[in-house]
Amino acid sequence: MHITSEVTGRLIEIVRRAARDEILPRFRNLPVGGIGTKTSETDLVTIADRAAEARIGDEARQLIPGAQIVGEEAVGSDRSLLDRIGSAELCVIIDPIDGTWNYVKGLPLFGVMVAIIEERQTRFGLLYDPVTDSWVQATTQKGARYQSHTGEERILSVGNSGLPGTTGFIPLYLFSKETQQKLAPRLPMLDRASSLRCSCHEYWLLSEGAVDFGISGQLNPWDHAAGELIYREAGGFSAMMEDGSAYDASKTSGQLLVARNRHCWSKVRDLLEGAFS
């Protein structure tokens, strides 16, 4: 299938409607019993996550006939769905609310992430912010750009802001306690390390050149497929920390490191590498 601008434009509208109807009305308004947990007490899911995923998935299936749909919440019930990413000719990956913890706590820092995967390679990525009704998108070899509901548009480039350094995102809380103990003493060697608890907005800032690097805590495809493509299309460098190999959406283990350029990537890897051994 040729991923046309018409298809991606309609997919963006699907996401915008789902956010308007399913996500925003429940923000700071979740009913009693509307919040649940998955792998831990801090790994949250809400009725808004499930409703938005179902809505986006159903409409994406109609928009792209034959595409496999892999949503974060569906995978929570059936891990075998992840196999579709590596085997399907075409796949749509959905993170209905990225940053659910923020969403539940009433913090307006969450988003929707959607990627179209063709033969294990990300061809289209979308980061959508329901609060501002604006988004960042990229299609392979066509660059990355920001758009808003008002019609504002600009091309994104990681080189347009700041000098290469070691300010970036490290989600320390997502690592095992053993890794945290190894990683934490290394953080003072960096200029600044933080986490927004939201991959959507972390990749957004990375793609605007606001920070120098980002490292994965968990290699879930819904957290990285869309953002990693957008970052590369904005001029950033991306590779797996273990061996420097390229990321593909079927990978679910290892550490993905993205950085402003190869030199910055190598510098951060050298500072942090021993923490993951």
Side-chain angles (χ1 to χ4, degrees):
M1 173 186 172
H2 183 53
I3 301 171
T4 65
S5 58
E6 179 182 0
V7 169
T8 58
R10 289 173 64 186
L11 184 58
I12 291 168
E13 289 307 307
I14 288 170
V15 170
R16 292 179 72 194
R17 289 195 299 269
R20 182 191 63 211
D21 296 344
E22 308 293 350
I23 298 173
L24 285 176
R26 296 181 171 103
F27 181 50
R28 296 177 177 168
N29 191 37
L30 285 164
V32 175
I35 305 169
T37 59
K38 295 187 285 186
T39 61
S40 72
E41 290 301 311
T42 59
D43 185 12
L44 305 177
V45 62
T46 72
I47 57 172
D49 292 85
R50 294 193 171 107
E53 180 171 298
R55 172 87 172 263
I56 295 169
D58 287 346
E59 295 191 27
R61 192 175 287 107
Q62 296 176 43
L63 175 65
I64 312 174
Q68 297 293 318
I69 308 297
V70 178
E72 177 184 5
E73 308 313 331
V75 170
S77 301
D78 182 2
R79 292 286 296 180
S80 69
L81 293 176
L82 288 173
D83 297 337
R84 296 181 179 181
I85 298 172
S87 61
E89 181 178 342
L90 203 62
C91 182
V92 179
I93 300 176
I94 304 167
D95 190 341
I97 302 180
D98 181 70
T100 300
W101 190 91
N102 291 349
Y103 179 81
V104 168
K105 303 304 179 182
L107 300 175
L109 195 65
F110 55 88
V112 183
M113 303 175 74
V114 176
I116 299 177
I117 310 298
E118 186 177 26
E119 296 180 346
R120 297 174 57 179
Q121 301 301 310
T122 312
R123 303 301 184 190
F124 171 77
L126 171 69
L127 311 177
Y128 177 71
D129 179 7
V131 175
T132 62
D133 192 17
S134 59
W135 58 94
V136 171
Q137 68 180 90
T139 303
T140 306
Q141 298 182 345
K142 293 185 178 180
R145 69 181 189 272
Y146 162 91
Q147 289 183 274
S148 76
H149 68 284
T150 62
E152 179 187 357
E153 183 173 347
R154 66 175 182 271
I155 302 299
L156 298 186
S157 171
V158 302
N160 286 343
S161 175
L163 297 173
T166 56
T167 294
F169 296 121
I170 302 178
L172 190 64
Y173 67 98
L174 288 178
F175 297 106
S176 68
K177 294 301 181 183
E178 180 183 2
T179 299
Q180 289 182 39
Q181 290 171 358
K182 294 179 182 178
L183 185 56
R186 297 168 185 264
L187 299 186
M189 295 186 287
L190 302 169
D191 294 331
R192 181 171 181 170
S194 59
S195 172
L196 303 180
R197 298 187 67 98
C198 179
S199 294
C200 180
H201 282 280
E202 289 181 356
Y203 273 114
W204 192 311
L205 289 178
L206 280 158
S207 299
E208 290 188 328
V211 295
D212 303 300
F213 76 92
I215 189 168
S216 64
Q218 298 173 343
L219 204 62
N220 296 317
W222 46 84
D223 288 330
H224 299 287
E228 191 270 347
L229 171 67
I230 290 169
Y231 190 61
R232 283 190 289 109
E233 288 293 321
F237 182 76
S238 164
M240 299 301 294
M241 180 180 281
E242 296 80 10
D243 56 9
S245 62
Y247 168 79
D248 78 61
S250 67
K251 293 183 177 181
T252 56
S253 63
Q255 303 302 146
L256 173 63
L257 175 61
V258 301
R260 191 181 295 274
N261 52 46
R262 187 184 292 268
H263 174 72
C264 181
W265 186 93
S266 297
K267 183 177 181 180
V268 174
R269 180 198 59 186
D270 291 346
L271 289 172
L272 301 181
E273 188 174 28
F276 303 104
S277 59

